[in-house]
Amino acid sequence: MLPLKDKDKPMVQMLLLAGCCARCILRFCCVSVHAAYRQPPQNTLKQLQAFISDTENSKSQDSAVPEPPEDPPSKRAKLEPGVTDAVLERDDEAAAPRVCVVCLGILQDMCGTSQAVKVSEAVKAENYEFDTVVLSVSLPAQLCVREHSCWLHVKKEVREKGLVLDKDDVIQVKEAFKWIMQGLVAKELGGIAVVTKVGNIHDEKKNILVFTRMAVVKALEKIPDFKFLKHYPCPPAQPTSSCSPQDVRCLHGSVFVAGRYNKFCRSLPQTPWVIDGERRMESSVEELIAAPLLAAFRADGFNFSSSGREDVDVRTLGNGRPFAMELLNPHRSRFNRAEMKQLQETINKSSDKIRVRDLQIVTRQAMSRMKEGEEEKTKSYTALIWTQKPIQREDITFIDDIKDLTVDQKTPLRVLHRRALAVRPRVIHSMNARFLDPHHFYLGLKTQAGTYIKEFVHGDFGRTKPNLCQLLKTDTDILELDVESVDVDWPPAIPE
Amino acid sequence: MDGGEQKDTQANAPSVIDRYYTRWYRADLKGKPCEDHCILQHSNRICVVTLAETHPILQSGRTIKSINYQISNVCSRLNNKVSGKSKRGGQFLTDFAPLCRITCTDETEYTVYSCIRGRLLEVNESILETPTLLLEKPSTEGYIAVILPKFEESKSITENLLSREEFESVLAKRKVAESQPS
Ligand SMILES: [Zn+2]
């Protein structure tokens, strides 16, 4: 039997008369027993009707002055004469029930095996790899208005009875929808767990909205009852048609892949380089890494992030630069160690401009380790230096003795258009010089992350101080730059 | 080609300015002979205002007595402050906004102008402490100011300026005029 109490009877009566479907009546009676919603709505309706006639019986028994059962009870008569007739009339139409005035049919026809089949077919068609499904539904904003109208309709009755019932206690349409549909979808998907909170797949029925749902909810919170009732029928009017499901969209939660990359090319940007809407270089590090990953994970897109970035003309050697890639809506998500190694090979064979190592699947949380404390990390570089005045071997040996040199860097002119102007102190922990010829030498540097090496070398109009020109007392310029190491201990190394 | 060969062995790569900046000029500013300015425009639209090598201050034998960014009783370029990525608060300059006045030891005074429209980002305070920077490295460490043109004006602001070639032809004409005393 339905978990309803005597106090619910007048409300059931009112709602039936107003044109609410059986399940919406359960919602307004705050029934939270899932099974009550899962049973066929025709059965629920019959039980509700039986429940009301039971009211009449109990009424006649409890009443001090017995009334004939056919007569409407005085209390109900006060509210709405001819209630019983109305209920009976609806019962006659059970073969073709009217569209519910509150849920517009969502908890009627749209909530059953045929809809569950549609959803599961959509999921199956995508050929996902998954263990759990999250079912969510996006409802038309109009529903909030109907719900509000229906709530105002019952509120008076509720308050008169001195019952403590708040609008928030009413079971939401989408909750009832999930209670009914989860089991059905799970069955169609062959026993996959369908859950509400955690999981991977997200199904949606979305209606195109003129007003956002949020805007409607906010407006309903603000509008005084009398004003609402002036503009909207209460109870809500009978709809001419039920709402129809727009589409089923499937989305797999992102998978995060991390690793380290080398960049061996001096004409390869890290990310697509676009100036005035025009593409400058044909490829980029992120695209070279992403292409094989998108194919293997059958993902729709990606977001790339890394521990800093190098300029287009800078190589990244050594163990490479840590990076992470979020793969959006991946259809395949399970890769073991051997498969990841294979995938790494595929990336490395696809281009000789880059190389990837330590490729692994990581969690979203772990990704943050790449960014945290980035400022404190050190980076090592090798720069090919040109000097205006000729130099001899011994002229540059003093460089090796410089330790923890703090340089004050004004935001370099080359990035000043997009970054705030500031003077940032940066530490060059150590340097070493390797003589090449009277105008060239290799300068090795170990610096605090965030140090602009090019500006340290040429001085950036004297805006980085001290700079190499000052140290060597001649104009110096940087001809080539290589990143030798990015000292971030994430992601963990994977033995070859 | 005077000494081109020798220069090549020393500078076999283009300088930072050559690589990333375009040189623009304004000759005889405000009708004052040889008061030439050079604007270095970075490919990111930022402009560095400098004195052209031909400016009277840079001719041999001159010594700078003072450089003053206080261009009127109420306005000092030294008070310029910009904040955030959008460079809020910077003074907005028009073509002929004075940036500073330079006085030489022979009491001649020169005014340096912005030459382009844009927001003042910074002035070079280093030349206040070390005025010789301006004489020794006028196109780098001796710069006068950094200006950020409006994004939509980044191309049009240089329309009134001379290109390197045009400036050189001005210099050639000047030379001819000098050799023909009136
Ligand atoms: Zn309903």
Side-chain angles (χ1 to χ4, degrees), chain A residues 233-343:
Chain A
C234 177
Q238 177 65 46
T240 49
S241 64
S242 66
C243 70
S244 56
Q246 299 290 302
D247 67 356
V248 181
R249 288 195 303 176
C250 302
L251 187 68
H252 192 291
S254 294
V255 169
F256 297 86
V257 172
R260 289 185 172 76
Y261 74 80
N262 291 128
K263 170 169 152 348
F264 301 121
C265 178
R266 294 201 191 277
S267 58
L268 183 70
Q270 192 204 44
T271 51
W273 196 16
V274 178
I275 299 175
D276 294 337
E278 239 176 83
R279 178 125 199 199
R280 285 301 159 101
M281 303 266 178
E282 62 184 38
S283 191
S284 66
V285 171
E286 64 162 43
E287 287 164 289
L288 290 174
I289 297 173
L293 289 178
L294 287 176
F297 284 79
R298 290 192 284 127
D300 290 350
F302 68 89
N303 289 315
F304 182 85
S305 62
S306 64
S307 180
R309 60 157 64 206
E310 62 283 302
D311 291 337
V312 59
D313 56 351
V314 172
R315 297 190 300 179
T316 298
L317 309 175
N319 277 334
R321 185 186 295 279
F323 72 91
M325 195 171 266
E326 176 181 11
L327 295 162
L328 305 169
N329 194 16
H331 289 57
R332 190 183 163 194
S333 52
R334 296 179 195 135
F335 286 79
N336 61 30
R337 205 165 248 239
E339 288 170 321
M340 286 307 285
K341 205 174 158 64
Q342 185 56 49
L343 195 44

Side-chain angles (χ1 to χ4, degrees), chain A residues 20-24 27 100-105 107-108:
Chain A
C20 279
C21 75
R23 281 161 171 166
C24 280
R27 293 196 300 112
C100 172
V101 296
V102 183
C103 72
L104 297 175
L107 296 180
Q108 296 172 300

Side-chain angles (χ1 to χ4, degrees), chain A residues 70-201:
Chain A
E70 321 73 281
D71 285 349
S74 56
K75 204 180 299 154
R76 242 176 288 129
K78 231 189 331 185
L79 280 165
E80 192 77 60
V83 144
T84 319
D85 289 350
V87 171
L88 284 174
E89 193 178 46
R90 193 122 310 157
D91 194 25
D92 294 339
E93 288 174 359
R98 288 201 208 166
V99 176
C100 172
V101 296
V102 183
C103 72
L104 297 175
I106 286 163
L107 296 180
Q108 296 172 300
D109 294 345
M110 229 174 291
C111 228
T113 308
S114 65
Q115 193 57 37
V117 169
K118 260 192 212 168
V119 170
S120 65
E121 289 305 318
V123 174
K124 283 178 196 166
E126 299 266 352
N127 197 13
Y128 282 107
E129 235 178 34
F130 65 103
D131 299 313
T132 54
V133 175
V134 177
L135 189 69
S136 58
V137 60
S138 174
L139 302 169
Q142 194 203 136
L143 237 57
C144 307
V145 185
R146 287 181 170 270
E147 185 94 359
H148 190 69
S149 162
C150 193
W151 162 248
L152 293 182
H153 184 57
V154 299
K155 190 164 103 172
K156 197 168 162 264
E157 171 75 15
V158 166
R159 294 283 149 89
E160 264 178 15
K161 288 279 179 311
L163 296 176
V164 197
L165 175 66
D166 198 66
K167 195 182 174 187
D168 294 342
D169 297 328
V170 173
I171 307 293
Q172 292 185 21
V173 174
K174 63 179 175 190
E175 282 304 304
F177 179 87
K178 285 182 204 166
W179 292 344
I180 300 159
M181 291 292 284
Q182 273 170 11
L184 295 175
V185 172
K187 207 160 93 191
E188 293 302 324
L189 287 173
I192 291 278
V194 179
V195 294
T196 12
K197 289 211 172 75
V198 280
N200 290 331
I201 294 194

Side-chain angles (χ1 to χ4, degrees), chain A residues 364-374 377 488-490 492:
Chain A
R364 184 193 289 269
Q365 293 84 330
M367 247 178 80
S368 62
R369 290 199 46 200
M370 190 174 68
K371 294 277 176 193
E372 75 196 20
E374 216 172 38
K377 306 290 184 208
V488 174
D489 58 4
W490 189 90

Side-chain angles (χ1 to χ4, degrees), chain A residues 276 386 388 410 413-421 439-440 458 461-463 465 475 477-479, chain B residues 10-14 16 19 21 40 42 44 46 82 84-85 87 121-122 126 137 139-141 143 146:
Chain A
D276 294 337
W386 167 86
Q388 191 214 358
K410 273 191 188 160
L413 291 174
R414 72 184 152 102
V415 299
L416 187 56
H417 61 300
R418 55 186 164 88
R419 294 204 190 143
L421 176 61
H439 285 288
H440 299 91
H458 61 60
F461 292 75
R463 298 170 74 260
K465 280 181 197 162
D475 281 355
D477 197 1
I478 184 164
L479 305 182
Chain B
Q10 283 194 6
N12 53 8
V16 172
R19 267 179 285 158
Y21 294 83
L40 303 171
H42 193 277
N44 69 11
I46 278 183
V82 292
K85 288 178 185 176
K87 317 293 186 295
L121 297 189
E122 65 178 48
S126 299
K137 298 185 167 180
S139 62
T140 55
E141 284 177 66
Y143 73 97
V146 178

